[in-house]
Amino acid sequence: MNTPTSELAIAAGIETVAVIGLGYIGLPTAAILAGNGMKVIGVDVSPATVDAVNRGEVPFVEPDLGIHVSGAVAQGFLTAQKETPRADAFIVAVPTPFLADKSADLSYIEDSARAIAPQLLGGELVILESTSPPQTTAHMARVILEARPDLSLDGSDGRPAVLFAHCPERVLPGRVMIELVTNDRIVGGLNAGAAAAATALYRVFCQGEILETDATTAELSKLVENSYRDVNIAFANELSVVSKNLGVDVWELIKLANHHPRVNILQPGPGVGGHCIAVDPWFIVAADPENARLIRTAREVNDSKPQHVVAQILEPVKEVASPTIATLGLAFKPNIDDMRESPAVDIVHKLATQRPDATILVVTPHSSVLPRMLEGFSNIKQVPATEAIAAAEVVALLVDHDKFREIDMATLAGKHVVDTRGFWRADALG
Ligand code: SAJ
């Protein structure tokens, strides 16, 4: 492990860092840089986010982030604002959603680039952290240099150079504050100088290895990592459907198979969610639709899993008029409030649409609000777990939140239980 230090960054001429986008990645990165003595200005289009950060608060759930943000703000190292300031380094961590045709929407990156351009004097480092299709860092550089023809990539013709790099984040939601420090980091520069400057900046807080490469390899590496996981989860999800049809307990099956020294099957679930694994593989498919066949199929397998779960939930109440269904959890994974691309949200939406006569009781221990996709349904109600279970004919466990361990198993007696996570295995249910 290497020792992090802000001295290297300062030696590389970086004292002030602007972090553009104070979301799930930008805010932790801003807080950890500030906590290590860098002067950090966070930038966000949302006034609510800016105000929250300036109060030292975090507008979403991520373990330990609050203490980092409040400490950095109290010490004056972290501030937030709507306008992009002048800075020695810029870290762009804005969303890259996909469009209807599954290609990436780069408009947030382009907007950030256009806001950075007028603030540059030459010599700055601009890092793209957002997960992006191959060549996006070069695209961002083009947008900036088109707006600033007095600057260049390499200092040619006496025009001052701006350094561009891609440094994908690879932290796991729920463990962000740990993994930011301990994970290895890939740093891809548009040129070697840019990679070296980015390494100096990440060394401020990163104790893992920092591996330098070119920007396109770094972009692709991030996409490949998440596609690898998606393909492996698809394998588990496909097994869960095949096992169900054969009357086999898939969790027992996987546990047994994993005793083989070279087999390590992941866990099936209600589908794959989050803004990373459910999205990034499409960027590879879009880059080479003809050849990325396995990656595309894995996406399709995972995307079809919610409908299998819906069928399982509705089967026992197909003859029941106006049934009540309890769905436990809406987040895309346990112990967080993030519902982006969540298969649980998709399942509840499908239930409410496919059985408009049913009442769908949703239990969300980490959030008091429903996602927009579920707003406006009169047959969806948010209630505590005990109330939902007491009223329901079918109880579907969609997210394995630790809080659901508090549920008294006796209250499940006589209910049809659909346990998408193997949280309450058949033997535990008695
Ligand atoms: N899931 C399963 N079965 C499993 C593992 C996960 O169904 O065995 C599901 C989860 O329930 C969830 C989804 O997959 O719905 C994704 O969860 P995750 O925990 O696998 O990953 P994310 O999306 O939280 O974070 C991933 C990580 N990438 C990899 O592990 C390769 C993280 O390191 C990345 O930084 C992150 O994507 C990102 O931002 O790209």
Side-chain angles (χ1 to χ4, degrees):
M1 279 219 183
N2 295 292
T3 314
T5 170
S6 57
E7 284 160 27
L8 279 178
I10 292 166
I14 303 170
E15 291 188 30
T16 310
V17 183
V19 178
I20 320 294
L22 295 176
Y24 293 90
I25 297 305
L27 185 52
T29 305
I32 207 140
L33 279 167
N36 280 283
M38 304 293 295
K39 179 166 169 30
V40 181
I41 304 142
V43 178
D44 204 282
V45 289
S46 155
T49 297
V50 167
D51 291 346
V53 172
N54 281 328
R55 286 195 305 269
E57 292 165 11
V58 178
F60 52 87
V61 176
E62 176 60 45
D64 296 335
L65 177 57
I67 195 145
H68 281 81
V69 170
S70 59
V73 170
Q75 291 186 343
F77 284 104
L78 175 62
T79 56
Q81 58 187 54
K82 277 188 73 185
E83 307 74 32
T84 301
R86 209 154 255 185
D88 303 317
F90 297 82
I91 295 180
V92 176
V94 295
T96 39
F98 56 44
L99 299 163
D101 67 354
K102 309 279 194 207
S103 67
D105 173 2
L106 302 182
S107 58
Y108 297 95
I109 294 176
E110 290 163 351
D111 289 348
S112 307
R114 282 189 280 268
I116 290 169
Q119 303 301 344
L120 298 172
L121 301 170
E124 293 89 347
L125 169 66
V126 183
I127 295 175
L128 178 64
E129 271 214 19
S130 312
T131 303
S132 307
Q135 316 280 336
T136 306
T137 310
H139 174 69
M140 180 184 76
R142 259 194 312 276
V143 173
I144 289 181
L145 294 177
E146 270 167 26
R148 290 294 305 273
D150 56 316
L151 300 172
S152 72
L153 270 185
D154 53 7
S156 56
D157 316 328
R159 289 175 296 152
V162 180
L163 302 171
F164 293 95
H166 180 60
C167 306
E169 58 74 21
R170 301 142 101 197
V171 289
L172 200 67
R175 285 178 46 84
V176 170
M177 300 318 292
I178 299 165
E179 292 205 357
L180 263 181
V181 175
T182 58
N183 283 2
D184 293 344
R185 198 92 205 200
I186 294 174
V187 162
L190 281 194
N191 52 42
T199 297
L201 180 57
Y202 285 97
R203 189 48 76 214
V204 170
F205 60 86
C206 176
Q207 292 178 4
E209 257 188 87
I210 301 182
L211 305 143
E212 291 182 18
T213 182
D214 63 88
T216 308
T217 306
E219 287 158 347
L220 208 47
S221 150
K222 167 66 193 249
L223 303 180
V224 163
E225 290 161 17
N226 280 349
S227 300
Y228 170 86
R229 194 150 168 88
D230 197 44
V231 168
N232 281 282
I233 299 170
F235 183 73
N237 277 336
E238 187 164 288
L239 285 184
S240 73
V241 176
V242 172
S243 300
K244 175 113 191 57
N245 292 340
L246 295 173
V248 165
D249 175 350
V250 70
W251 284 280
E252 184 191 358
L253 173 69
I254 290 173
K255 201 166 112 193
L256 294 175
N258 281 349
H259 274 269
H260 186 288
R262 284 172 296 283
V263 173
N264 186 13
I265 303 170
L266 295 180
Q267 298 299 301
V272 168
H275 183 66
C276 310
I277 296 187
V279 176
D280 299 358
W282 287 120
F283 296 168
I284 299 183
V285 175
D288 191 350
E290 223 173 279
N291 294 303
R293 291 181 299 155
L294 180 63
I295 295 172
R296 175 200 293 276
T297 303
R299 273 287 67 244
E300 287 166 356
V301 167
N302 286 331
D303 275 353
S304 66
K305 190 69 201 290
Q307 184 52 44
H308 283 286
V309 176
V310 168
Q312 253 177 288
I313 294 172
L314 293 181
E315 170 61 26
V317 287
K318 62 176 190 285
E319 310 291 350
V320 179
S322 309
T324 300
I325 297 166
T327 55
L328 306 188
L330 280 183
F332 85 87
K333 59 190 267 179
N335 308 325
I336 59 171
D337 66 341
D338 191 344
M339 298 180 192
R340 290 178 300 170
E341 317 291 332
S342 173
V345 173
D346 187 18
I347 288 166
V348 170
H349 185 266
K350 284 184 160 67
L351 288 170
T353 314
Q354 292 174 25
R355 281 297 299 264
D357 63 319
T359 299
I360 321 295
L361 302 177
V362 298
V363 182
T364 55
H366 298 281
S367 171
S368 55
V369 287
L370 285 177
R372 197 170 305 153
M373 191 176 163
L374 301 182
E375 282 172 5
F377 280 93
S378 56
N379 59 338
I380 297 179
K381 293 187 180 65
Q382 223 169 350
V383 296
T386 41
E387 198 180 309
I389 292 169
E393 280 102 359
V394 185
V395 178
L397 186 294
L398 302 181
V399 187
D400 41 347
H401 288 309
D402 288 344
K403 289 213 168 170
F404 294 150
R405 289 276 168 226
E406 292 162 15
I407 291 170
D408 178 1
M409 303 293 282
T411 61
L412 296 170
K415 313 279 177 190
H416 296 281
V417 175
V418 176
D419 179 359
T420 67
R421 303 274 183 176
F423 191 70
W424 303 309
R425 300 279 309 289
D427 44 19
L429 284 169

